[in-house]
Amino acid sequence: MVKTYSEHSNPNMRRPVVQQGIVEFMRQQDQALPTFLQDLQAFAATENIPIIPKETVAFFRFFLQVLAPQKILEVGTAIGFSALMMAEALPEAEIVTIDRNPEMIQLAKENFARFEEGKQIRLLEGEAQDILKDLKGHTFDFIFVDSAKSKYVVFLPDLLELLPKGGILIFDDVFQGGDIAKDSGEIRRGQRAIYRGLHKLFAAVDQHPDLMVSYLPLGDGLLMVKKEADSVEFLQENL
Ligand SMILES: C[S@@+](CC[C@H](N)C(=O)[O-])C[C@H]1O[C@@H](n2cnc3c(N)ncnc32)[C@H](O)[C@@H]1O
């Protein structure tokens, strides 16, 4: 069944992990985006579709222009806002983005056709778990994962195979509105699978000798992972 827009919304975005006043301050300071991206932000807000918040956008535009990746993979397209934002920031980059939701796919396709930056973007339709396996043999120097959070740890080995040594992987929304720092007994039923999945992800990457890790309190939290070896192995029980 196709999800309605409101089912897509992330209630944790209304529970900022840093002081609300600071979030608002950061959003006021941010440099203005091109009008077409502002229009997409306004559409997403009206339709209650979760896209990366303004402070994460500002970080991405800064970081990506420093990193200058040539090939980018995104998991979680929604209406195509973040893919178009990355394309606008990096006119030379090729972007592959994955989504499984027919309603979002339709909107993303329309947006990619409307704007010049869409020419840099290829949308792959389907379940990310399958598509990541199909992409085997390709490499991306930057990967952004913004999809169903309980699956992040399941995607991890395939994502790392798609990165070269030195490549960067960012997972979005890893703080569960602050619940992530609580004891498991305090987590409400509907959020427990995500909580467990995210903690497994942290356990897999945090002390790994071949990965460098950093957490950033932007939006609902970013986990940044840098691949520091040609190949990265995990014990199956850790995934
Ligand atoms: C938060 S939205 C992405 C927002 C987008 N990155 C942006 O900032 O503009 C998450 C999207 O991930 C997609 N998604 C979630 N789990 C997925 C999966 N396992 N495979 C493919 N797509 C998935 C959903 O359909 C939804 O459109």
Side-chain angles (χ1 to χ4, degrees):
M1 199 182 94
V2 174
K3 284 186 177 177
T4 62
Y5 292 163
S6 59
E7 282 172 293
H8 281 275
S9 67
N10 176 2
N12 289 333
M13 294 314 294
R14 290 187 288 277
R15 296 197 297 152
V17 295
V18 296
Q19 285 174 25
Q20 182 72 53
I22 297 291
V23 174
E24 279 158 20
F25 172 78
M26 288 169 78
R27 290 180 181 175
Q28 280 159 21
Q29 300 306 112
D30 286 344
Q31 291 171 334
L33 286 177
T35 315
F36 82 100
L37 291 174
Q38 290 186 35
D39 292 345
L40 291 178
Q41 283 175 319
F43 175 81
T46 309
E47 300 293 338
N48 209 12
I49 298 169
I51 60 170
I52 51 171
K54 290 183 177 170
E55 61 278 18
T56 306
V57 171
F59 168 69
F60 265 55
R61 284 163 64 82
F62 186 105
F63 182 65
L64 286 177
Q65 287 191 12
V66 174
L67 194 67
Q70 296 291 305
K71 291 197 73 182
I72 296 177
L73 175 65
E74 175 181 67
V75 183
T77 316
I79 62 169
F81 169 76
S82 50
L84 285 162
M85 179 276 293
M86 293 192 280
E88 194 276 333
L90 295 167
E92 304 298 319
E94 284 172 41
I95 300 170
V96 173
T97 183
I98 302 171
D99 209 291
R100 66 181 176 191
N101 182 286
E103 213 177 346
M104 292 297 127
I105 288 168
Q106 183 55 35
L107 288 166
K109 278 184 176 169
E110 289 169 16
N111 288 328
F112 296 155
R114 272 168 73 199
F115 307 113
E116 188 62 22
E117 289 75 4
K119 295 200 173 82
Q120 296 165 241
I121 302 169
R122 188 154 63 100
L123 174 61
L124 302 181
E125 303 173 31
E127 168 54 49
Q129 211 168 330
D130 304 326
I131 294 178
L132 292 175
K133 296 208 183 302
D134 295 342
L135 286 172
K136 210 171 170 163
H138 293 259
T139 51
F140 299 90
D141 21 41
F142 178 76
I143 303 181
F144 177 47
V145 189
D146 188 15
S147 58
K149 280 140 256 318
S150 57
K151 287 284 178 67
Y152 284 180
V153 67
V154 178
F155 298 163
L156 182 67
D158 291 326
L159 292 167
L160 285 168
E161 262 200 54
L162 298 173
L163 276 184
K165 184 178 173 183
I168 308 272
L169 172 56
I170 296 186
F171 294 97
D172 196 22
D173 297 328
V174 296
F175 286 164
Q176 282 193 297
D179 286 352
I180 202 70
K182 295 180 181 165
D183 287 337
S184 56
E186 293 178 58
I187 305 303
R188 59 191 187 285
R189 194 178 281 272
Q191 291 293 308
R192 286 184 200 154
I194 297 175
Y195 175 92
R196 275 197 302 273
L198 287 171
H199 274 285
K200 279 182 100 176
L201 173 70
F202 305 155
V205 300
D206 280 350
Q207 304 303 327
H208 200 294
D210 299 327
L211 301 174
M212 189 178 172
V213 172
S214 177
Y215 293 81
L216 288 185
L218 288 170
D220 193 33
L222 299 179
L223 167 59
M224 301 179 62
V225 179
K226 178 163 174 266
K227 182 173 171 180
E228 305 243 85
D230 289 320
S231 72
V232 177
E233 304 295 328
F234 294 97
L235 294 174
Q236 202 51 44
E237 60 263 33
N238 291 340
L239 298 175

